[in-house]
Amino acid sequence: MELNYEAIKAAAENYRADMCAFLREMISHPSESTEEKEVVMCIKAEMEKLGYDKVEIDGLGNIIGWMGEGDKIIAIDSHIDTVGIGNIDNWEQDPYKGYETDEIIYGRGGSDQEGGMASAVYGAKIMKDLGIIPEGYKIMIVGSVMEEDCDGLCWQYIVNKDNIRPEFVISTEPTDGGIYRGHRGRMEIRVDVKGTSCHGSAPERGDNAIYKMSEIIQNVRDLNANDCAEGTEIKGLVKMLEPEFNPENYEDARFLGRGTCTVSQIFYTSPSRCAVADSCAISIDRRMTAGETWDSCLEEIRNLPACKKYADDVKVSMYMYDRPAWTGEVYETEAYFPTWINKESAAHVKALVDAHKALFGEKRYSPESQKALRDRPLTDKWTFSTNGVSIQGRYGIPCVGFGPGAESQAHAPNEITWKQDLVNCAALYATAIPLYPTEEKTGDVTQFRAGKTDNNIL
């Protein structure tokens, strides 16, 4: 398809004010996970105003807008839930009202990730305006829910309940001006330790679960921090970057970065403040690189010296997630989010790269305040995880990322995004999809994919 790139850029620029107003309207509706109803209705109204061919809300509460006619689907995904605001004293302005300048928009969700929704909604509108939706394809714009709580749950629902499986998906998570083809996976691990309570005046009569857990916590810290030298008892996760420990996948691990682990929560039970604790539990946030699997990560914790020392009193497990959506729907799943990388040569990745080069050249766009941050290769990977854990990680549906904003703004106080990013992303979506080289499609676009567990969860 012959494209007029200047016309696409002009169309995106003409919608700058509309996209900024739409984003500020979304930000004004607090939308933490499971509480997205108001922002869903805001998006629905905007899609209907722009003349979408169909707008629907599925059982989980995802908002889906359709443009075009055809049997094949290309999707653009944006999660529309946000994290909370944390300590309000850390914010310079109201996070749900904020302000805007000529360059930026301030407020919770600007970069993570409602800015992506604004660009996606208008990117599809530009395609329709200019008549460049590829023949035989429908464009599916997804405002997905509950991502911050449980990455990819929304797409498990879309694939398994809505029975929709796009040809490929563009994620609009923030990419610092780059095109991203993968990221590390993650899982949420729980460690429970049993003890025996007694009166605090004679602690020797009991068995303090907190003391046992303190040893395990130190081991977890060592697992993250240690090297992998021959004499190191607890070899650190950095080992997966070395062929000795990860012969099949160390190169992919070096691309993604090493895995990490950290204790993120701690719980206890005790009869009172003057009694020995009879149980203690921790949550571990585990980021997984190529070559690490859900079961290898669980075994790694079970094999820590302190876990083996107290083996009869220790249980290591993976969390499950079963919070009801804002619609009341419950889709129970495991808190496991698979690692994935797509090949740089894959047709869907190539489409975004070609679009970027045609519109903006070979280097990332860099606002003055972000030049150092964005002076990196055009094609790269995320540090955090996205809905791609399900789209590509679970189901092998090709996925690629390009989105407004910065990863560093995610979950931070005083979150901002850049207006020029909104314009650039809308233009790129409207260009990349018509440039998708269908004649170059292959069945194998995956460079690495961890896949599902053996728990029979779809």
Side-chain angles (χ1 to χ4, degrees):
M1 179 183 293
E2 288 293 327
L3 296 178
N4 184 331
Y5 301 118
E6 293 306 315
I8 293 172
K9 287 196 286 187
E13 184 61 42
N14 287 339
Y15 281 128
R16 176 189 289 260
D18 297 284
M19 284 189 280
C20 292
F22 179 35
L23 175 54
R24 293 204 69 197
E25 179 65 20
M26 285 189 283
I27 288 172
S28 75
H29 300 286
S31 55
E32 294 180 39
S33 297
T34 75
E35 299 173 5
E36 304 96 341
K37 182 176 181 178
E38 284 190 14
V39 79
V40 165
M41 296 309 167
C42 168
I43 294 163
K44 181 175 183 287
E46 191 79 6
M47 287 177 165
E48 290 172 346
K49 181 185 79 176
L50 294 177
Y52 269 64
D53 296 326
K54 183 179 180 182
V55 181
E56 57 187 334
I57 300 168
D58 73 7
L60 198 69
N62 299 306
I63 174 86
I64 302 172
W66 298 91
M67 284 287 203
E69 301 291 335
D71 297 328
K72 294 175 285 188
I73 298 169
I74 295 172
I76 307 177
D77 176 65
S78 312
H79 77 77
I80 54 174
D81 60 320
T82 73
V83 294
I85 60 172
N87 184 353
I88 188 63
D89 293 337
N90 290 331
W91 290 79
E92 297 171 358
Q93 298 283 333
D94 186 325
Y96 299 116
K97 294 179 182 176
Y99 63 88
E100 62 180 315
T101 68
D102 289 343
E103 185 183 20
I104 64 100
I105 292 173
Y106 175 104
R108 175 56 84 216
S111 275
D112 188 22
Q113 196 249 300
E114 291 167 348
M117 191 70 205
S119 293
V121 166
Y122 278 86
K125 171 63 172 170
I126 291 166
M127 280 186 272
K128 183 174 183 179
D129 287 347
L130 299 181
I132 55 175
I133 297 174
E135 186 177 352
Y137 282 90
K138 288 185 290 191
I139 309 304
M140 177 188 182
I141 306 300
V142 182
S144 48
V145 296
M146 302 169 75
E147 189 272 353
E148 295 292 4
D149 251 16
C150 189
D151 324 10
L153 173 71
C154 43
W155 273 89
Q156 289 178 251
Y157 196 93
I158 287 167
V159 171
N160 296 311
K161 297 291 188 179
D162 298 340
N163 296 312
I164 299 171
R165 193 179 181 96
E167 197 161 299
F168 80 88
V169 180
I170 300 172
S171 168
T172 71
E173 287 270 16
T175 59
D176 298 333
I179 294 166
Y180 287 179
R181 60 187 181 94
H183 58 67
R184 295 177 302 167
R186 73 180 188 92
M187 62 188 298
E188 297 173 2
I189 299 172
R190 181 180 172 104
V191 182
D192 288 271
V193 174
K194 294 187 294 185
T196 304
S197 63
C198 70
H199 200 284
S201 64
E204 68 278 4
R205 297 173 185 162
D207 184 15
N208 197 317
I210 291 176
Y211 289 167
K212 293 178 182 177
M213 186 63 81
S214 70
E215 296 180 46
I216 294 172
I217 289 171
Q218 184 59 56
N219 283 181
V220 173
R221 184 177 180 179
D222 292 342
L223 181 63
N224 187 70
N226 283 359
D227 61 29
C228 57
E230 184 176 346
T232 303
E233 180 184 12
I234 299 175
K235 291 182 169 50
L237 297 178
V238 69
K239 65 181 179 287
M240 297 303 285
L241 305 183
E242 303 302 327
E244 175 187 356
F245 297 97
N246 191 13
E248 294 183 7
N249 301 115
Y250 74 94
E251 291 180 316
D252 289 334
R254 289 178 179 180
F255 168 70
L256 293 174
R258 50 158 288 183
T260 59
C261 61
T262 188
V263 175
S264 55
Q265 293 177 319
I266 188 164
F267 317 95
Y268 73 94
T269 60
S270 174
S272 76
R273 286 199 299 272
C274 54
V276 165
D278 54 15
S279 79
C280 189
I282 58 171
S283 302
I284 299 174
D285 179 282
R286 179 65 159 90
R287 304 287 159 155
M288 300 154 49
T289 194
E292 295 175 324
T293 65
W294 65 278
D295 49 350
S296 75
C297 291
L298 291 174
E299 282 303 304
E300 199 167 44
I301 300 299
R302 292 180 182 121
N303 286 325
L304 291 174
C307 287
K308 294 174 76 172
K309 176 180 177 180
Y310 301 115
D312 291 344
D313 295 327
V314 175
K315 178 184 177 183
V316 179
S317 60
M318 181 164 55
Y319 276 97
M320 298 294 291
Y321 183 85
D322 61 357
R323 285 186 71 189
W326 70 263
T327 60
E329 183 88 355
V330 175
Y331 189 110
E332 185 176 11
T333 194
E334 58 206 355
Y336 163 68
F337 313 95
T339 311
W340 61 279
I341 312 171
N342 274 319
K343 293 178 181 177
E344 195 166 2
S345 60
H348 67 295
V349 177
K350 184 176 183 294
L352 269 69
V353 172
D354 289 348
H356 193 284
K357 290 179 178 178
L359 293 168
F360 314 121
E362 298 191 7
K363 293 188 176 181
R364 301 184 187 211
Y365 158 74
S366 300
E368 193 61 36
S369 59
Q370 296 290 290
K371 282 190 179 296
L373 176 65
R374 299 189 179 188
D375 187 20
R376 291 177 284 167
L378 178 60
T379 306
D380 209 342
K381 78 284 182 182
W382 283 284
T383 300
F384 54 44
S385 65
T386 73
N387 280 333
V389 297
S390 284
I391 298 166
Q392 174 74 32
R394 279 186 177 270
Y395 305 122
I397 299 170
C399 188
V400 62
F402 185 77
E407 282 193 77
S408 62
Q409 294 297 311
H411 303 188
N414 304 304
E415 182 179 355
I416 61 171
T417 199
W418 290 265
K419 292 181 175 181
Q420 189 61 48
D421 279 12
L422 302 179
V423 174
N424 286 1
C425 287
L428 185 131
Y429 305 148
T431 304
I433 289 174
L435 285 181
Y436 177 48
T438 55
E439 70 282 357
E440 297 181 25
K441 288 188 301 182
T442 64
D444 181 18
V445 301
T446 301
Q447 184 166 317
F448 179 85
R449 182 164 75 93
K452 293 185 277 189
T453 67
D454 60 4
N455 290 336
N456 296 321
I457 291 176
L458 296 176

